[in-house]
Amino acid sequence: MVEDTDMKEVEKVAKKPAAKPAESVPEPDLSVLLKRNVSLIEKAVNSKEPRLMGRVLRQTGVFRKKLTAEKIEAFVKSTLPEGVVMKPFLLDSLSSEGSGMQVDVPSSGKEATFLPETEIYACLVVILYLIDQKHYEKAKAVTTAAVQRLDTFNRRSLDLLAARVYFYLSWSHECLNTLDEIRSKLLALHRTATLHHDNIGQEMLLNLLLRNYLHYNLYDLAEKLRSKTELPESRSNQQYCRYLHYLGRIRAIQLEYTDAKECLIQASRKAPQAALGFRIVVHKWLALVRLLLGEIPERTMFRQKGLEKALEPYFYITQAVRIGDLNAFRAAVDKYQSVFQTDKTMNLITRLRKNVIRTGLRRINLAYSCISMTDIAAKLGLGLTDDVESIVAKAIRDGAIDATLDHPNRCMYSKDQVDVYSSQEPQGAFHARISFCLDTYNEAVTAMRFPPDAHKKGLESAEARKERQQQEQELAQHIAEEEEEEEEDF
Amino acid sequence: MSSVKLTSASGLLSLLTEEENSLKDYALKSLLRVVDDHWAEVAGSLSVVESLYEDEEFPQREHAALLASKVFYHLLELNDSLTYALGAGELFDVSDNSEYVQTLVAKCIDQYVELRVKEVDGKEDLPPIDTRLTSIVERMFERCFRDGQYRQAIGIALETRRLDKLKEAILMCEDINEVLSYTLKASLKLITSREFRFKVLLELVKLYESASAVPDYMSVCTCLMFLDDHSTVAKILDQLISDEDEDKALLAYQIGFDLFENEIPQFLLKVRDEISALVPPPAAPPAAPALEQAGTPSTEEATPEGEAAEGAESMETEEAAPPATAPAPAEGSADALEPTGRLAPTYQTRWQKLQTILSGDATISLHLQFLSSHNKADLLILKGMKNAIETRNSVCHSATILANATMHAGTTCDTFLRENLDWLSRATNWAKFSATAGLGVIHRGHLSQGRSLMEPYLPRGNSPSVSPYSEGGALYALGLIHVDQGEGIRQFLLESLRNTSNDVIQHGACLGLGLASLGTADTTVYEDIKGVLYSESAVAGEAAGIGMGLLLAGTGSEKTEEMLQYAHDTQHEKIIQGLSMGCALTVYGREEEADTLIETLARDADPILRYGGMYATALAYRGTGNNNAIRRLLHFAVSDVSDDVRRAAVLSLGFVLYQTPEQCPRVVALLAESYNPHMRYGAAMAVGIACSGTGLKEAIALLEPLVTDAVDYVRQGALIAMAMVLIQQPETRASGFRKQLDKIIADKHEEVMAKKGAIMAAGLLDAGGRNVTVGLRSRSASHRMAAVLGLAVFTQYWYWYPLAYFISLPLRPSALIGLNSDLKMPKFSATSTCRPSLFAYAPPLSSATTTQVSKAPTAVLSTTAKARAKAKRDADKKGESKPSTPATDADSTMETDEPSARVASPEDAPEPTSEQLENPARVVPTQEKYVRFQEGIGVRYVPLKRNPPSGIIIMKDTRPELPVELVEVEPTQGVAQPAAAPTPAIEEEEPAPPEPFEYAMA
């Protein structure tokens, strides 16, 4: 649980690679940075360029850790003119004595040419600070008020900031474990975002909703919502990553392991290298799903830097499954039960028991041409003997092993293994890999951004063209003259 | 009751399948409460909910419908959602403010609009519209009325084509005149269906008439003009001029001027006929000359001098009138409507004045006077051009002659030609034809002396022709002089056509006849031109085709079939070209009615006819922005196999979009980057046409790269288009382009085609002595027929250079001319609230720079130029406005504090922020929003209409007792010649008899 919730934060911070080089340079004062961001916001709104807004958010992440109550207070006081609805409220929640619970937002008063974007940005800065200081109650109050304020606007330039505010709304509630309170609010916001063609808000809210449902293990509801909602066409990588992660989890619970694996693999590949927490979670699920599919994840997966510690329990499980040792499996489960429970993967782990047995069976199947049921039971560490026969029978029927049962003699005869390379299997494997590569390539191409009129720069100017034409003409003349001379020579 | 926190709705859903109705009822109601949170679950059981609604037995069907509707809404299936919402009846509460209801109501209106349009068009049999849908829309109307949002209601009514609601909305509004003019503007601009537009206009006329005691006659007449209802207009005008109130008569004059500006000659002709039918001819001796004059307007009365005499008369009569009527007021009022009222001298003089207005004589002579007196064409530019080009190069040579003609269009100033006779004489054959035609452009509107001016070149009866080229050109020139006003000259042109068998002369005569009888559909003329066509001469046949088109322009005549038939039969491509263009001209403005012809042409196997089809689309849907037309043109632009057709298709977009110029650059942006140079040329021209005279930034941005295109003719098109866009723009914007033109013209290595384009562009940029703009729209935002047709034919210069002279048609003087009740220009001024230099004329080239051939005029922004311009203006002002100042001061009309502008010391004083414009003044289109008339008490002349402050405006004299001070008519270039002298113009010293032009002997 702790890890899972933390991962969002880790990811957030980690997704700012720009932070590191900036630190070496003497950092300008915080208030200067905030002012600069405000002017960037104004520019973004005036030029209708959402990318600038994205830059504002990134830069905010850079100096996030340095925020102090006094600095923010000064910023709010200087930036927000009097009469802005949120101003007194923000100042109130910043002061340490303030209860932070006075959520009564006065009805919107006079607003001059002042941009609502700046107001929401100020809210966001305050929220960030409060959350970093672990004042979740206050953060909740501020976000709730901010969302209420956002409802009064219908501006596309606000989308990016609004999505961020929604995220922190959900986040503060999650920290206080009151996620179920905001589910209807999120649903309503999601509907509004869809109707307003607010793509950013739409995908953010859908993810928050899925998270909300999964938090309470409401997989069925989550799947119903997901299947009935259309994803916006343009989506950010970040949000899509999360969506794939949730989808993978839903699919895994629904026993659709192949789909689940595909989703999780994509999520892990799309996730930025720095988003450690996110990758840990995805890899945990991925390991389990692959095990359930009968595959054995490579050892390197568990040896990735920063992941070893977190993935250790899963490593032991994998080992148990690989050798089909039921006893080792049991031991691992017992040892790490609490971890699996907080990871919400216990459900899948119990499903794995069957896989352990199968793997063991397969090994026996390969090793022995004929073996009695009692021996099998002993090797697998199973208890009752009649149970063994039905397990074996089921495995044969599912095609996990190639063998026949001799019921009267209570033993199992293995059939000869066919050469894999004479079958279609390698071809299939190649095909899967190639199509994966092609898909990745296509996605990369469609995800590329082409600035408008960029191709015009490449065009040659009128003078250059004239010069080129002149040169070509001279060349042609030259050649013609030479030819003439040659002809004359003849 | 269900708990507030329900994790899953599955329990409730399972209740729906119960037998008991009360359980289902409970489940439905509970679900309705939670559906916003649990719609995803309910969506899984949607079929159950739907079947509940379909179950006739079930008592709570409406609840089921509402639930289904909400779920569909969440699924974004708005169509289904709407269907079920309608099924929910009263439960679907329109007045609710929730997002759900708002979204559905919007959807509802959309659907209703769609259905109504289909129903009204009646193309297919449709079931009647769902009454529930109608009732929701009507509820929305009621809401709008309740909240006072009448404009919204009007918008929806226009969209849904509900005339009844439209009427209701307008009548409910308090400021009925304002809302009526809003509706008028909206219906003219936004309604794409011609049929429905007419219905709305009819309704508007009724509303205008019933709305207030004194209807807004100006708007009524605009509506009626669009409806082509000449008899009502005639009645209104008659009523206005027979009214005792002098103001009414002034109003009638103003309406007359406005109507004439829209260039629908046939309509005005009918109006005149109708009114003159009301005037009892025999009983009134003064009426007789008036009638005659209607027939032959080109003679005596048209000129200022004639009017002056007349005006003086009318002044006298008016002064005399009061004592006459004073003793017997009873008689006057009783007989006001009797024929004797029409016989009253006041009525007769007013009628005469109105006639000169409606026939266009007044407007044309005023414009001619304005253009010739304000002529600021810079001869040095021409001189530079002449020296820069090689004389052997006939293309550039004739382009320069064309540039001279456009620069002096309508100014009657032919100094340049006269000074350069030797040079001129290098024009031979068709170049000579064109050069002669150029005289027609220069003397455009010189109705009284047009013929005498052209006399030396005209074919003389039986004597052998000296040069058929100059004779043909002269006939063409006569057409250009008498565009739209050909009553006087038509007979002569017809005779010339009949008397000759030379195809060059026939060519000129056909074009001349077409121009002179534009849109009249005169059958005799038609038969004669047809005779030429059937003579199967390529040269004459082409002109005959175009001539026919001009003759039948805008009539949508059946004769196109004949023309098409011949186009299929003939072997000559030139004739096909002419005919296909002619067909296109006939369907001008017919919109949907033209679809059959367009379809026939566009599907023809012959690319030349398809080319005509593109132009037919352009002209039929001119300025409508019709989506179907645009779609068709874009389709042909990218799919036709012939480059010519594709080029024409792209170019035609400009005609369709000129009403909304800002759209055009966006539409053709991609085509302007096409690999195909023809497309690029088309895109450039389209932008030039649609954005002409606007100086739109987007247009310039699109044209700029094309000006330096790799292909010569693309450059040519882009240069011409750029000149059209930049015409009369502030010099700060145009000066860069001027420099570019100079550079291209002077560049020895430049390709001829591009150079020709640059020369034409230079001419166009300074057209009409820098006092005209390219105006496809009239000031009341309606379409100018001759202008649009002229521009369409102008673009044919691609095939046939002499047609480039059609560029004079779309040129419109940008003048503010104020007239008093005698149709004379009194002295008064209006204020332009911006820096004078902003809209000043481009500074003339100084003589020092002429030695270096192609020195560009200095940019105005530089302080020196500013100072110079101001100094010049100050000088002007001192010269011009001095005489007027004392008078106006005495009248205390000059209350606006402009002494600063006048007193400003020459050099170092900061530039004033406003200036006084003396009547008549040059007001360029972009300047219009800064121009204010003087207001307040004590202002002597009050305009009858304030918006837009340009064009011809009748001023009401609030102090008739004071002496009238008139603007002196400058004796320039023959305009002010004693035109009353009926003798040929040979005796005149100006414009000199053109005998020096005998360059023709080559």
Side-chain angles (χ1 to χ4, degrees):
Chain A
M1 174 71 205
V2 176
E3 249 177 337
D4 187 24
T5 46
D6 262 350
M7 85 102 181
K8 292 286 161 194
E9 288 315 285
V10 175
E11 178 191 355
K12 278 256 126 47
V13 183
K15 271 185 184 169
K16 282 92 198 182
K20 276 144 204 163
E23 265 160 5
S24 56
V25 189
E27 194 75 2
D29 188 47
L30 194 65
S31 53
V32 177
L33 288 171
L34 284 169
K35 286 270 179 242
R36 198 187 291 164
N37 274 350
V38 169
S39 62
L40 251 182
I41 288 175
E42 274 157 17
K43 203 171 147 197
V45 174
N46 293 334
S47 63
K48 295 188 180 125
E49 182 61 81
R51 270 185 307 160
L52 290 177
M53 206 61 109
R55 196 192 297 169
V56 170
L57 291 176
R58 271 199 304 281
Q59 283 174 355
T60 313
V62 173
F63 55 74
R64 173 175 176 175
K65 293 286 173 219
K66 294 184 199 126
L67 292 173
T68 60
E70 296 76 47
K71 289 271 171 70
I72 299 176
E73 204 172 332
F75 166 68
V76 171
K77 271 185 184 158
S78 64
T79 320
L80 302 190
E82 281 310 322
V84 170
V85 182
M86 294 296 288
K87 182 171 180 179
F89 182 73
L90 289 178
L91 292 175
D92 202 30
S93 54
L94 276 173
S95 60
S96 45
E97 279 79 37
S99 67
M101 290 303 287
Q102 304 158 342
V103 199
D104 49 334
V105 176
S107 60
S108 56
K110 266 191 176 178
E111 281 149 55
T113 52
F114 173 70
L115 288 172
E117 281 79 4
T118 319
E119 186 183 347
I120 300 299
Y121 177 67
C123 291
L124 199 59
V125 173
V126 173
I127 294 167
L128 279 175
Y129 170 73
L130 290 175
I131 283 183
D132 286 350
Q133 302 299 312
K134 306 233 185 310
H135 297 316
Y136 296 123
E137 280 293 341
K138 277 188 191 174
K140 183 171 126 186
V142 177
T143 44
T144 316
V147 168
Q148 219 165 329
R149 182 90 184 110
L150 277 168
D151 282 349
T152 58
F153 300 113
N154 181 9
R155 292 163 69 102
R156 292 286 69 77
S157 48
L158 266 173
D159 286 352
L160 211 57
L161 289 169
R164 220 30 96 82
V165 172
Y166 298 150
F167 173 77
Y168 287 113
L169 175 74
S170 167
W171 177 244
S172 55
H173 277 271
E174 189 166 337
C175 292
L176 296 167
N177 208 3
T178 51
L179 266 184
D180 52 341
E181 281 171 20
I182 53 162
R183 199 179 297 153
S184 342
K185 182 69 193 164
L186 289 181
L187 277 162
L189 286 171
H190 180 249
R191 176 65 39 233
T192 314
T194 317
L195 288 172
H196 289 173
H197 300 285
D198 165 9
N199 288 346
I200 305 161
Q202 220 176 319
E203 50 189 11
M204 173 66 93
L205 286 163
L206 180 62
N207 280 338
L208 291 178
L209 277 167
L210 290 179
R211 183 177 183 79
N212 201 317
Y213 281 127
L214 296 192
H215 185 80
Y216 295 102
N217 283 331
L218 297 169
Y219 284 94
D220 190 36
L221 290 184
E223 166 59 15
K224 273 183 181 151
L225 175 72
R226 191 205 60 77
S227 60
K228 301 285 188 301
T229 323
E230 279 175 32
L231 274 186
E233 287 137 24
S234 68
R235 52 206 174 192
S236 77
N237 185 41
Q238 217 171 332
Q239 297 303 329
Y240 188 54
C241 229
R242 284 181 195 166
Y243 174 78
L244 284 172
H245 163 224
Y246 296 131
L247 180 60
R249 282 171 64 175
I250 295 172
R251 289 270 183 266
I253 297 294
Q254 287 177 330
L255 303 174
E256 293 166 24
Y257 299 126
T258 327
D259 288 352
K261 186 184 126 192
E262 220 156 83
C263 290
L264 290 168
I265 286 187
Q266 271 221 53
S268 73
R269 283 186 210 254
K270 275 183 190 285
Q273 243 344 248
L276 205 58
F278 182 76
R279 276 170 56 219
I280 290 174
V281 180
V282 171
H283 276 113
K284 283 175 182 171
W285 280 82
L286 188 56
L288 289 180
V289 168
R290 291 181 72 173
L291 287 174
L292 283 166
L293 273 172
E295 299 170 19
I296 307 295
E298 303 82 12
R299 182 178 282 264
T300 48
M301 188 175 129
F302 300 98
R303 285 275 169 266
Q304 289 176 66
K305 205 172 163 236
L307 301 184
E308 303 119 314
K309 191 88 188 69
L311 290 182
E312 202 181 52
Y314 295 87
F315 177 63
Y316 288 118
I317 293 284
T318 310
Q319 270 189 332
V321 174
R322 196 178 72 85
I323 51 172
D325 185 346
L326 212 50
N327 290 326
F329 180 72
R330 256 185 230 124
V333 171
D334 286 345
K335 188 174 171 198
Y336 294 107
Q337 193 147 21
S338 61
V339 178
F340 297 139
Q341 240 134 29
T342 42
D343 286 356
K344 301 192 184 221
T345 49
M346 205 51 210
N347 195 347
L348 293 183
I349 302 271
T350 41
R351 287 186 201 170
L352 261 181
R353 189 173 167 275
K354 197 180 72 188
N355 286 47
V356 180
I357 297 170
R358 285 220 178 143
T359 331
L361 263 182
R362 204 178 297 146
R363 290 168 66 87
I364 295 167
N365 183 28
L366 287 175
Y368 299 86
S369 57
C370 173
I371 184 169
S372 77
M373 288 298 154
T374 35
D375 288 342
I376 295 180
K379 278 195 177 293
L380 289 178
L382 287 167
L384 293 160
T385 14
D386 349 21
D387 200 14
V388 178
E389 193 169 354
S390 59
I391 289 173
V392 175
K394 182 86 167 58
I396 295 173
R397 207 182 75 100
D398 291 353
I401 52 173
D402 215 1
T404 48
L405 271 182
D406 185 358
H407 185 62
N409 296 325
R410 297 185 55 73
C411 58
M412 179 182 84
Y413 293 99
S414 303
K415 286 179 186 162
D416 286 337
Q417 279 297 309
V418 267
D419 181 17
V420 180
Y421 290 96
S422 65
S423 69
Q424 296 279 316
E425 217 164 296
Q427 200 184 341
F430 273 127
H431 175 73
R433 285 176 199 193
I434 292 169
S435 64
F436 176 82
C437 289
L438 289 175
D439 283 350
T440 315
Y441 172 77
N442 284 338
E443 270 171 35
V445 170
T446 46
M448 268 195 268
R449 181 194 286 275
F450 296 97
D453 293 343
H455 64 288
K456 280 183 186 161
K457 279 181 204 150
L459 301 179
E460 54 181 346
S461 68
E463 287 81 41
R465 187 182 54 234
K466 239 178 223 171
E467 205 165 297
R468 178 175 56 83
Q469 280 171 345
Q470 207 170 349
Q471 278 176 356
E472 279 170 9
Q473 215 165 6
E474 276 169 20
L475 192 69
Q477 217 170 353
H478 196 65
I479 293 172
E481 276 170 17
E482 273 184 0
E483 275 176 3
E484 259 175 45
E485 276 171 26
E486 276 173 27
E487 273 171 31
E488 275 168 26
D489 287 347
F490 282 113
Chain B
M1 282 285 105
S2 71
S3 63
V4 184
K5 283 278 136 217
L6 196 69
T7 327
S8 163
S10 50
L12 290 171
L13 285 171
S14 62
L15 278 182
L16 284 179
T17 49
E18 290 286 339
E19 292 291 312
E20 196 69 38
N21 270 351
S22 61
L23 285 177
K24 293 186 198 169
D25 181 24
Y26 170 76
L28 280 179
K29 284 181 183 157
S30 310
L31 280 172
L32 275 175
R33 259 195 302 280
V34 297
V35 67
D36 286 336
D37 285 357
H38 295 285
W39 58 270
E41 281 178 276
V42 185
S45 316
L46 202 51
S47 55
V48 182
V49 181
E50 283 178 296
S51 63
L52 277 181
Y53 168 66
E54 272 147 31
D55 182 5
E56 304 276 340
E57 307 284 294
F58 184 61
Q60 304 292 342
R61 294 179 58 206
E62 297 191 340
H63 282 99
L66 189 60
L67 182 62
S69 164
K70 285 197 171 178
V71 174
F72 275 122
Y73 155 74
H74 281 295
L75 292 170
L76 295 179
E77 303 282 347
L78 292 184
N79 281 327
D80 290 333
S81 178
L82 182 58
T83 323
Y84 280 104
L86 293 177
E90 288 302 312
L91 283 179
F92 178 64
D93 183 9
V94 194
S95 57
D96 191 7
N97 234 349
S98 71
E99 212 164 39
Y100 161 69
V101 172
Q102 284 182 353
T103 315
L104 277 200
V105 166
K107 178 75 197 164
C108 193
I109 294 174
D110 281 353
Q111 196 166 10
Y112 186 67
V113 167
E114 204 176 300
L115 289 172
R116 277 288 297 174
V117 169
K118 270 190 200 153
E119 190 184 66
V120 174
D121 285 353
K123 274 180 193 155
E124 51 212 289
D125 282 336
L126 290 161
I129 296 174
D130 195 337
T131 47
R132 295 169 299 181
L133 198 63
T134 318
S135 78
I136 287 184
V137 175
E138 265 163 24
R139 268 190 274 174
M140 286 309 297
F141 274 121
E142 275 156 32
R143 218 176 108 187
C144 286
F145 295 153
R146 214 172 37 239
D147 302 350
Q149 295 166 320
Y150 297 110
R151 287 194 170 198
Q152 282 195 19
I154 289 169
I156 303 177
L158 286 179
E159 286 268 325
T160 56
R161 309 204 171 175
R162 289 283 297 262
L163 282 177
D164 52 335
K165 287 288 166 192
L166 179 70
K167 199 170 159 188
E168 204 180 325
I170 293 176
L171 287 178
M172 278 177 106
C173 201
E174 293 109 42
D175 189 0
I176 192 155
N177 274 327
E178 193 260 329
V179 87
L180 275 171
S181 65
Y182 169 78
T183 318
L184 176 60
K185 218 179 272 171
S187 54
L188 288 180
K189 266 199 152 177
L190 301 175
I191 302 179
T192 47
S193 157
R194 181 179 154 110
E195 197 188 335
F196 181 63
R197 196 187 314 139
F198 280 8
K199 278 189 198 153
V200 173
L201 289 175
L202 264 179
E203 195 64 47
L204 280 178
V205 171
K206 272 187 221 150
L207 283 169
Y208 266 122
E209 279 167 356
S210 63
S212 54
V214 189
D216 180 356
Y217 286 115
M218 264 186 237
S219 309
V220 172
C221 287
T222 319
C223 289
L224 289 170
M225 184 194 71
F226 282 108
L227 290 168
D228 201 20
D229 186 351
H230 37 82
S231 49
T232 319
V233 174
K235 252 177 242 157
I236 291 176
L237 289 177
D238 176 58
Q239 196 190 333
L240 285 174
I241 54 170
S242 54
D243 199 288
E244 297 222 344
D245 192 355
E246 177 77 16
D247 290 358
K248 289 273 176 63
L250 294 183
L251 191 61
Y253 301 154
Q254 183 68 61
I255 292 172
F257 278 120
D258 287 355
L259 288 179
F260 179 77
E261 214 203 323
N262 292 320
E263 291 191 350
I264 311 180
Q266 313 91 293
F267 177 73
L268 292 180
L269 193 67
K270 281 180 200 147
V271 172
R272 267 152 65 202
D273 290 348
E274 298 256 353
I275 304 181
S276 48
L278 291 171
V279 181
L291 276 175
E292 262 177 31
Q293 189 194 342
T296 55
S298 64
T299 47
E300 299 161 81
E301 305 273 43
T303 60
E305 244 58 31
E307 275 165 32
E310 201 185 293
E313 248 174 63
S314 69
M315 285 297 286
E316 283 162 27
T317 49
E318 264 160 54
E319 275 160 35
T325 45
E331 185 201 317
S333 60
D335 294 344
L337 293 173
E338 292 303 303
T340 44
R342 294 209 170 85
L343 293 177
T346 30
Y347 178 84
Q348 290 302 336
T349 46
R350 283 174 184 176
W351 165 227
Q352 279 177 15
K353 280 186 231 165
L354 189 61
Q355 263 195 331
T356 57
I357 296 169
L358 288 179
S359 66
D361 295 346
T363 309
I364 289 175
S365 65
L366 283 168
H367 280 164
L368 191 64
Q369 201 173 328
F370 168 76
L371 287 177
S372 67
S373 61
H374 284 64
N375 179 13
K376 286 283 185 298
D378 197 341
L379 286 181
L380 291 181
I381 294 181
L382 280 170
K383 219 171 262 173
M385 235 185 251
K386 187 190 93 174
N387 296 339
I389 59 164
E390 286 174 56
T391 36
R392 276 181 306 147
N393 188 335
S394 66
V395 173
C396 290
H397 185 259
S398 56
T400 312
I401 298 175
L402 170 68
N404 170 53
T406 35
M407 262 190 202
H408 294 103
T411 63
T412 69
C413 164
D414 49 16
T415 334
F416 179 75
L417 295 180
R418 227 166 314 141
E419 282 171 4
N420 298 291
L421 285 174
D422 264 359
W423 173 80
L424 191 61
S425 66
R426 295 213 178 89
T428 53
N429 297 336
W430 284 106
K432 187 154 64 177
F433 178 91
S434 302
T436 322
L439 289 175
V441 173
I442 293 173
H443 293 284
R444 175 165 186 210
H446 214 158
L447 303 185
S448 52
Q449 295 164 42
R451 187 159 160 203
S452 50
L453 278 167
M454 299 311 294
E455 196 65 53
Y457 312 110
L458 290 171
R460 282 181 208 94
N462 302 322
S463 59
S465 67
V466 187
S467 157
Y469 291 104
S470 67
E471 285 172 12
L475 292 173
Y476 178 24
L478 277 182
L480 287 168
I481 293 175
H482 292 88
V483 176
D484 249 11
Q485 300 296 319
E487 284 163 57
I489 203 75
R490 200 178 300 154
Q491 199 52 38
F492 172 75
L493 287 169
L494 254 183
E495 275 161 23
S496 314
L497 181 64
R498 285 174 189 154
N499 289 342
T500 183
S501 57
N502 184 308
D503 53 2
V504 178
I505 299 177
Q506 280 176 339
H507 184 95
C510 283
L511 289 178
L513 265 176
L515 283 165
S517 46
L518 187 72
T520 55
D522 189 317
T523 37
T524 29
V525 178
Y526 179 77
E527 289 306 321
D528 271 281
I529 298 186
K530 199 165 85 179
V532 176
L533 183 70
Y534 286 157
S535 68
E536 190 69 21
S537 148
V539 171
E542 181 183 33
I546 293 174
M548 277 176 167
L550 291 170
L551 181 67
L552 301 173
T555 59
S557 163
E558 297 290 311
K559 296 191 172 112
T560 45
E561 281 177 27
E562 223 170 86
M563 292 161 75
L564 266 181
Q565 186 53 45
Y566 192 74
H568 282 127
D569 293 345
T570 185
Q571 296 295 314
H572 295 287
E573 276 193 3
K574 273 179 89 75
I575 297 182
I576 304 175
Q577 186 80 42
L579 282 170
S580 84
M581 200 57 211
C583 285
L585 296 176
T586 57
V587 292
Y588 167 85
R590 307 306 290 193
E591 300 180 31
E592 287 93 347
E593 285 174 34
D595 279 350
T596 354
L597 178 75
I598 294 174
E599 207 52 26
T600 329
L601 286 169
R603 287 180 183 283
D604 204 281
D606 187 345
I608 302 177
L609 286 180
R610 290 207 298 281
Y611 176 92
M614 296 306 105
Y615 271 94
T617 318
L619 294 174
Y621 291 97
R622 47 82 186 107
T624 60
N626 185 300
N627 280 337
N628 286 332
I630 295 173
R631 206 171 298 136
R632 174 177 309 161
L633 290 173
L634 283 175
H635 174 76
F636 274 91
V638 294
S639 66
D640 203 276
V641 287
S642 158
D643 278 341
D644 290 336
V645 179
R646 296 174 72 174
R647 188 184 65 237
V650 183
L651 190 150
S652 297
L653 284 170
F655 283 105
V656 179
L657 289 170
Y658 70 72
Q659 192 75 272
T660 46
E662 58 287 347
Q663 278 188 6
C664 188
R666 241 182 324 134
V667 173
V668 299
L670 282 178
L671 300 174
E673 289 174 24
S674 166
Y675 73 95
N676 184 337
H678 288 272
M679 305 272 274
R680 298 204 294 274
Y681 174 89
M685 288 303 272
V687 170
I689 291 163
C691 308
S692 52
T694 62
L696 214 64
K697 269 201 202 79
E698 295 81 13
I700 295 171
L702 187 136
L703 289 173
E704 244 158 18
L706 292 176
V707 167
T708 53
D709 199 273
V711 178
D712 50 359
Y713 56 81
V714 178
R715 289 206 290 281
Q716 180 189 66
L719 288 167
I720 294 172
M722 192 75 127
M724 276 160 61
V725 174
L726 284 175
I727 187 167
Q728 286 208 331
Q729 287 304 306
E731 199 50 26
T732 42
R733 310 187 64 184
S735 57
F737 183 58
R738 279 182 200 281
K739 268 181 211 157
Q740 204 170 8
L741 288 179
D742 285 337
K743 202 171 142 243
I744 295 174
I745 294 170
D747 188 349
K748 290 262 186 301
H749 302 293
E750 188 60 79
E751 274 122 318
V752 177
M753 281 298 105
K755 212 180 241 188
K756 171 184 151 88
I759 296 170
M760 287 169 75
L764 199 50
L765 198 58
D766 288 337
R770 292 181 176 157
N771 286 315
V772 298
T773 182
V774 177
L776 298 178
R777 290 174 287 173
S778 71
R779 290 184 180 86
S780 55
S782 61
H783 314 278
R784 294 174 72 219
M785 182 167 97
V788 176
L789 295 175
L791 200 56
V793 182
F794 163 74
T795 56
Q796 306 307 306
Y797 82 87
W798 177 279
Y799 299 103
W800 191 234
Y801 290 163
L803 292 179
Y805 286 87
F806 271 78
I807 193 63
S808 63
L809 268 63
L811 300 180
R812 180 191 73 188
S814 45
L816 166 62
I817 302 176
L819 296 181
N820 64 9
S821 60
D822 300 326
L823 308 185
K824 305 263 126 212
M825 287 185 277
K827 280 199 169 154
F828 77 97
S829 60
T831 317
S832 163
T833 57
C834 55
R835 286 179 295 112
S837 71
L838 196 58
F839 296 109
Y841 291 107
L845 291 178
S846 63
S847 51
T849 54
T850 47
T851 43
Q852 309 153 356
V853 168
S854 57
K855 196 66 169 215
T858 341
V860 178
L861 254 195
S862 77
T863 44
T864 52
K866 242 189 238 171
R868 202 191 307 141
K870 191 160 55 56
K872 182 181 135 273
R873 202 163 312 103
D874 283 345
D876 283 356
K877 214 152 255 158
K878 271 171 201 146
E880 279 175 20
S881 62
K882 268 285 159 59
S884 72
T885 332
T888 41
D889 276 351
D891 292 341
S892 74
T893 48
M894 293 286 279
E895 273 173 0
T896 37
D897 44 346
E898 284 315 305
S900 60
R902 239 172 299 129
V903 177
S905 62
E907 282 309 313
D908 49 357
E911 188 174 2
T913 53
S914 64
E915 67 177 325
Q916 291 296 100
L917 302 170
E918 297 293 332
N919 184 34
R922 171 195 197 240
V923 176
V924 304
T926 35
Q927 192 181 5
E928 277 170 13
K929 53 176 174 280
Y930 301 108
V931 175
R932 307 266 178 287
F933 290 104
Q934 292 175 347
E935 293 193 47
I937 315 152
V939 173
R940 179 164 177 184
Y941 290 106
V942 180
L944 275 194
K945 63 164 193 176
R946 288 184 183 277
N947 233 341
S950 67
I952 296 175
I953 292 177
I954 302 279
M955 311 294 280
K956 181 174 154 53
D957 190 352
T958 56
R959 297 195 173 179
E961 68 278 5
L962 294 176
V964 183
E965 204 172 344
L966 295 175
V967 174
E968 290 166 38
V969 175
E970 292 172 34
T972 38
Q973 298 291 346
V975 186
Q977 286 305 309
T983 43
I986 295 165
E987 299 160 29
E988 300 170 0
E989 64 268 47
E990 269 188 313
E995 73 277 335
F997 285 126
E998 279 163 16
Y999 59 88
M1001 305 316 291

